[in-house]
Amino acid sequence: MDFGLKNRLSKIIPPKSGKTVMLAVDHGYFQGPTTGLKDIKKSITPLIPHADCLFVTRGIVRNCVDPRTDISICLRVSGGPSILGELSNEDVIVSMEEALRLNAAGVGMSIFVGAGNEDRTISNLGRLVNEAQQYGMPVLAITAVGKDMARDARYIGLACRIAAEIGAHMVKTYYCEDFHKVVEGCPVPIVIAGGKKLPEMEALQMTENAIKEGATGVDMGRNIFQSDNPVGMIKAVRAIVHKGATAEEAFEIYSSSKKQPVEAK
Ligand code: R5P
């Protein structure tokens, strides 16, 4: 692995803990003004100091993120359909030059294993990796779940392994029972998406389980920005990921920080 690729990866996964808290706020690329992100600049500004990396689209980076920020950017580069259309019908829509211009530490795209357009999204991943390799740009593959697919270790493991085989440097997927089997079968770091909003304690327990079973961290969105205490929630998630806190300890951080002012990480 060359210097540029390793250096960028270390901005996404800080070497001190070897773990990462990515804040996913790209939902608008197909959902429009998602609950919790309607005024996205206002929502994400207090959260950014507590995350290692922001997973985001170029439009939001340009318009809503302070360029003087310390946070690294992982840029969503796939898109096309809206929530009203066929979600798997995505292509790569952002050039590598644009990712470099925005000083991205990585680029991310979805693959739709077990859904329509499975083959095209997987070959698009291969092409993106080919291009990214030339510039030392890490690629995060996101395993979007086909409507009819069970979210179990067999299916999630299949999707993650395919992403790694095609050349992704990192994979984002969903937590499932026997998640350690998914990790064992995937030779690159895995981060978990949070999925739909859960009660805070359940989201924190899922995070603890994922880390214990070998996840490198989270790329979490709704369970943070849709919480009644988003800053408390990201601090709680951070304690589990970087400090090995239990879900109970983290829940205490979430609860006790409800009325405190925002602090830097
Ligand atoms: C899908 O919209 C994106 O890939 C999200 O970044 C991903 O699902 C993580 O966000 P959440 O934790 O809300 O599932």
Side-chain angles (χ1 to χ4, degrees):
M1 231 193 269
D2 63 49
F3 178 89
L5 191 65
K6 280 186 183 166
N7 185 257
R8 286 194 176 93
L9 262 180
S10 76
K11 309 293 179 213
I12 302 175
I13 307 171
K16 193 173 171 194
S17 68
K19 297 276 193 294
T20 184
V21 174
M22 300 174 70
L23 176 63
V25 293
D26 60 318
H27 304 62
Y29 91 99
F30 71 98
Q31 289 184 358
T34 312
T35 303
L37 293 180
K38 287 194 165 61
D39 182 343
I40 187 165
K41 188 171 182 177
K42 194 171 163 198
S43 301
I44 67 178
T45 300
L47 299 174
I48 282 175
H50 304 282
D52 300 303
C53 182
L54 193 62
F55 189 65
V56 67
T57 60
R58 66 171 157 188
I60 299 303
V61 173
R62 283 181 189 154
N63 294 300
C64 305
V65 180
D66 185 338
R68 297 164 299 180
T69 186
D70 286 335
I71 200 168
S72 65
I73 300 295
C74 188
L75 203 62
R76 172 170 285 276
V77 296
S78 65
S82 80
I83 198 166
L84 306 175
E86 169 50 58
L87 289 182
S88 68
N89 196 16
E90 282 195 0
D91 272 307
V92 176
I93 51 153
V94 178
S95 68
M96 199 54 63
E97 287 76 11
E98 175 83 314
L100 292 164
R101 190 179 303 119
L102 293 170
N103 201 26
V107 292
M109 64 165 287
S110 300
I111 59 170
F112 291 79
V113 176
N117 302 304
E118 168 190 89
D119 47 357
R120 181 156 55 82
T121 59
I122 294 174
S123 11
N124 282 344
L125 174 63
R127 281 187 281 274
L128 183 67
V129 172
N130 290 343
E131 209 187 350
Q133 283 295 132
Q134 295 178 48
Y135 299 96
M137 180 69 77
V139 175
L140 170 72
I142 299 139
T143 66
V145 179
K147 275 189 198 126
D148 303 325
M149 308 306 291
R151 288 191 187 191
D152 59 19
R154 192 162 168 225
Y155 167 67
I156 299 272
L158 168 79
C160 290
R161 178 60 172 264
I162 289 172
E165 297 261 357
I166 300 297
H169 305 95
M170 288 178 69
V171 177
K172 166 161 68 170
T173 195
Y174 291 96
Y175 181 74
C176 61
E177 201 175 320
D178 291 329
F179 189 71
H180 62 98
K181 291 185 182 166
V182 176
V183 175
E184 280 157 20
C186 180
V188 300
I190 300 183
V191 290
I192 61 153
K196 283 186 184 157
K197 173 76 176 68
L198 300 167
E200 277 72 8
M201 186 58 200
E202 282 179 37
L204 294 171
Q205 191 61 63
M206 176 175 69
T207 305
E208 182 191 337
N209 294 347
I211 295 295
K212 280 192 174 148
E213 292 184 66
T216 295
V218 300
D219 186 12
M220 191 175 276
R222 287 163 287 180
N223 278 291
I224 293 173
F225 61 70
Q226 291 179 353
S227 169
D228 62 353
N229 178 12
V231 170
M233 195 57 186
I234 196 169
K235 286 163 89 172
V237 168
R238 191 170 182 85
I240 296 172
V241 171
H242 284 300
K243 305 280 185 208
T246 63
E248 287 77 15
E249 289 164 345
F251 188 78
E252 185 52 35
I253 294 171
Y254 153 77
S255 313
S256 64
S257 73
K258 269 192 175 175
K259 286 182 184 141
Q260 285 174 14
V262 176
E263 295 157 20
K265 70 184 173 196

